[in-house]
């Protein structure tokens, strides 16, 4: 390990900076919650009582107390794996097992992720079966949790393998132009996943049934027709099998688009409120928010890939982290270079959060305004947001600086004020 290496310095500084900033933000939120978390704002006083706010504070405090040791150990593990030379030793061992670049990359990603997975395991279990169950959200059994983890692993593998094959092939045959082709493949692959996800992937984890006939289905179909949104159907997801949290979303692309309502959402909200929630989601569609994000993301991805294509050629990137035998970077090592780039610059991504969250919150306000317009009033959406906030034990008031870094949706009181 070369501590004078610029890439090592950036890695150490980024990891420490991100850790301290997150600790500071969470502490600010914790202190704010202690002072104001049990205050009932007048705007929600008809729906929220002191018992709810007390339970919300206890829930958030429990998550905070679990987050502290988890974050500390995660940062320490990151430093340990780098400083002890775990990654160079791992790739050296892998290359003694196989000289196939694809299998080497796959084994490196799987085996390299094991320490982090083992560290996060007890925290994930306590979060699910300690905190979530204690506060009445989790309906999971241990068997169901293990099954979901196994399913998730194999789904991730099925997604990762084609991308790895494409990446290694481009490294070998596309020379200096691999980054352009990889960017094109990435976006094509993303669109393909969005098409097959609702049909083949989502049903692996949940059961989706068509929304039964009745007033709710009639109202929602009329709303979709009014907005010119063509969906393959309205579906109810059995979210309550696992959790008491509520949500609704659009998924899919083209003819595979479908509207999904959590069964918990249908139980908690009135027909008017569900219609308003769907109106909000349709607002994203009518304002082309997803398309606009893609238009912004496409050049950004290509710029990032171009920069990576330049930096992975530098021997100092590898030598700084213990890959001392690399003088000229062969295509077999380029996936290691990409991994090191994510290691070096990944933690600095927290600085982009305020920008990304600002853009996301702007879209949410637009979608809220559309829902108010299409439904004729913003009141059903206001009450829906309050109820969902209450049922999910979400904080009603948060410090401004905390929401800037951590909230991609506007805080509840800001959304209500804008709607009213």
């Amino acid at each position: 390990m070369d501590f004078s290496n610029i890439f090592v310095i950036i890695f150490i500084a980024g990891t420490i900076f991100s850790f301290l900033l997150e600790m500071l933000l969470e502490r600010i939120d914790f202190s704010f919650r202690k002072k104001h978390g049990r205050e009932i704002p007048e705007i929600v006083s008809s729906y929220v009582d002191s018992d709810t706010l007390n339970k919300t504070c206890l829930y958030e405090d429990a998550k905070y107390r679990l987050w502290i040791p988890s974050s500390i150990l995660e940062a320490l593990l990151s430093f340990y794996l780098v400083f002890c030379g775990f990654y160079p030793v791992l790739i050296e061992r892998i290359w003694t097992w196989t000289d196939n670049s694809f299998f080497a990359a796959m084994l490196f990603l799987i085996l390299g992720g094991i320490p982090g997975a083992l560290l996060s395991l007890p925290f994930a279990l306590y979060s699910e079966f300690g905190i979530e169950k204690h506060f009445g959200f989790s309906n999971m059994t241990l068997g169901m949790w293990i099954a979901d983890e196994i399913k998730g692993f194999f789904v991730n593998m099925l997604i990762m393998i084609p991308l790895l094959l494409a990446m290694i092939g481009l490294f070998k045959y596309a020379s200096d132009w691999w980054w352009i082709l990889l960017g094109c493949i990435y976006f094509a692959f993303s669109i393909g996943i969005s098409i097959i996800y609702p049909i083949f992937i989502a049903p692996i984890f949940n059961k989706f049934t068509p929304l039964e006939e009745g007033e709710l289905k009639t109202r929602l179909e009329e709303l979709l027709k009014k907005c010119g949104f063509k969906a393959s159907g309205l579906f109810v997801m059995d979210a309550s099998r696992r959790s008491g949290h509520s949500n609704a979303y659009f998924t899919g692309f083209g003819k595979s688009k479908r509207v999904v309502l959590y069964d918990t959402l249908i139980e908690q909200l009135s027909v008017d409120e569900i219609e308003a929630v769907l109106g909000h989601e349709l607002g994203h569609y009518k304002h082309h928010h997803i398309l606009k994000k893609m238009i912004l993301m496409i050049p950004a991805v290509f710029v990032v890939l171009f920069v990576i294509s330049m930096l992975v050629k530098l021997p100092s990137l590898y030598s700084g982290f213990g890959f001392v035998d690399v003088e000229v970077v062969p295509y077999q090592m380029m996936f290691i270079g990409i991994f090191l780039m994510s290691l070096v610059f990944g933690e600095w991504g927290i600085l982009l959060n305020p920008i990304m969250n600002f853009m996301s919150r702007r879209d949410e306000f637009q979608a809220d305004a559309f829902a108010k317009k299409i439904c004729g009033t913003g009141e059903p959406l206001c009450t829906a947001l309050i109820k969902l906030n209450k049922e999910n034990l979400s904080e009603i008031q948060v410090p401004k600086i905390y929401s800037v870094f951590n909230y991609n949706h506007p805080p509840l009181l800001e959304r209500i004020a804008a709607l009213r």
Side-chain angles (χ1 to χ4, degrees):
M1 174 63 65
D2 181 4
F3 290 99
S4 65
N5 182 282
I6 183 61
F7 292 108
V8 175
I9 293 172
I10 294 172
F11 161 72
I12 294 174
T15 303
I16 294 174
F17 172 77
S18 175
F19 172 77
L20 293 178
L21 179 57
E22 289 182 344
M23 279 288 175
L24 176 62
L25 291 171
E26 292 297 333
R27 183 65 190 182
I28 289 173
D29 185 47
F30 175 74
S31 300
F32 185 90
R33 186 165 59 247
K34 286 292 184 183
K35 187 175 181 179
H36 302 289
R38 290 169 174 81
E39 297 174 357
I40 304 177
E42 180 63 30
I43 199 169
V44 298
S45 58
S46 299
Y47 296 89
V48 178
D49 55 27
S50 57
D51 288 340
T52 299
L53 290 185
N54 184 60
K55 188 176 181 181
T56 298
C57 289
L58 294 174
Y59 177 56
E60 293 294 332
D61 288 349
K63 292 193 295 181
Y64 173 60
R65 292 190 182 97
L66 181 65
W67 177 85
I68 292 174
S70 173
S71 297
I72 293 173
L73 292 175
E74 184 178 316
L76 291 175
L77 177 65
S78 180
F79 279 133
Y80 176 76
L81 293 177
V82 171
F83 295 161
C84 77
F86 171 76
Y87 297 114
V89 171
L90 177 62
I91 194 63
E92 185 179 351
R93 292 287 178 84
I94 289 173
W95 277 348
T96 63
W97 302 335
T98 177
D99 58 359
N100 183 288
S101 300
F102 167 71
F103 286 118
M106 186 170 66
L107 285 173
F108 181 81
L109 292 179
I110 294 174
L111 298 178
I114 288 177
L118 292 176
L119 175 65
S120 65
L121 180 61
F123 294 102
L125 286 169
Y126 183 76
S127 175
E128 185 68 42
F129 297 102
I131 297 176
E132 296 295 313
K133 273 198 179 295
H134 176 74
F135 287 93
F137 289 123
S138 177
N139 296 317
M140 295 276 278
T141 63
L142 181 60
M144 188 184 299
W145 188 87
I146 293 173
D148 280 354
E149 292 297 309
I150 294 173
K151 291 176 186 177
F153 173 79
F154 283 106
V155 168
N156 287 333
M157 288 293 293
L158 288 174
I159 293 173
M160 182 177 68
I161 286 173
L163 285 176
L164 266 180
L165 279 171
M167 184 171 65
I168 298 299
L170 291 174
F171 290 162
K172 185 174 183 179
Y173 298 109
S175 186
D176 292 336
W177 299 101
W178 66 264
W179 59 276
I180 295 179
L181 298 175
L182 184 60
C184 295
I185 290 173
Y186 169 77
F187 284 109
F189 192 78
S190 298
I191 293 174
I193 289 294
S194 68
I195 293 174
I196 68 172
Y197 176 82
I199 301 173
F200 299 107
I201 299 178
I204 295 174
F205 299 93
N206 292 96
K207 183 180 179 181
F208 295 83
T209 56
L211 181 62
E212 62 183 24
E213 298 295 332
E215 180 187 3
L216 177 59
K217 183 177 181 180
T218 301
R219 292 270 294 273
L220 297 186
E221 287 179 339
E222 289 175 354
L223 184 62
L224 292 173
K225 185 177 180 180
K226 187 177 182 180
C227 295
F229 184 88
K230 295 182 180 180
S232 62
L234 295 162
F235 293 87
V236 179
M237 190 180 89
D238 62 339
S240 60
R241 286 186 63 236
R242 289 172 170 79
S243 172
H245 293 293
S246 303
N247 199 7
Y249 63 91
F250 290 140
T251 186
F253 186 83
K255 292 183 179 180
S256 71
K257 291 199 302 287
R258 57 174 60 183
V259 178
V260 177
L261 307 173
Y262 284 25
D263 55 359
T264 48
L265 184 85
I266 296 175
E267 294 173 3
Q268 294 166 1
L269 302 185
S270 69
V271 173
D272 286 343
E273 290 164 345
I274 296 174
E275 182 183 45
V277 170
L278 181 58
H280 167 89
E281 298 300 332
L282 287 167
H284 290 302
Y285 164 74
K286 295 298 287 187
H287 284 288
H288 309 292
H289 288 155
I290 296 177
L291 178 61
K292 290 176 181 177
K293 286 179 181 177
M294 287 188 64
I295 291 173
L296 289 174
M297 187 172 68
I298 288 173
V301 167
F302 281 105
V303 169
V304 169
L305 286 173
F306 172 73
V307 172
I308 290 175
S309 73
M310 295 292 103
L311 294 180
V312 296
K313 296 177 181 179
L314 301 177
S316 58
L317 172 64
Y318 304 87
S319 61
F321 290 91
F323 295 89
V324 292
D325 295 331
V326 180
E327 295 180 0
V328 179
V329 182
Y331 77 89
Q332 292 96 334
M333 280 293 292
M334 288 180 70
F335 73 91
I336 296 294
I338 292 179
F339 166 76
L340 291 176
M341 289 292 294
S342 68
L343 201 67
V344 170
F345 295 104
E347 295 297 334
W348 291 101
I350 193 172
L351 294 177
L352 296 177
N353 285 3
I355 299 172
M356 302 302 293
N357 288 339
F358 170 79
M359 297 171 63
S360 178
R361 288 195 298 266
R362 180 193 60 192
D363 291 348
E364 295 302 321
F365 280 127
Q366 282 188 335
D368 283 352
F370 179 85
K372 177 179 180 179
K373 178 181 178 182
I374 201 71
C375 295
T377 173
E379 197 58 28
L381 184 56
C382 285
T383 57
L385 292 172
I386 294 170
K387 288 181 180 180
L388 291 175
N389 199 90
K390 175 184 176 182
E391 295 294 336
N392 291 322
L393 294 182
S394 300
E395 292 180 282
I396 292 178
Q397 302 182 82
V398 293
K400 185 67 176 179
I401 186 66
Y402 185 81
S403 68
V404 165
F405 275 91
N406 292 287
Y407 276 40
N408 57 15
H409 282 54
L412 176 65
L413 298 184
E414 291 183 23
R415 296 182 73 174
I416 296 174
L419 281 165
R420 288 179 173 170

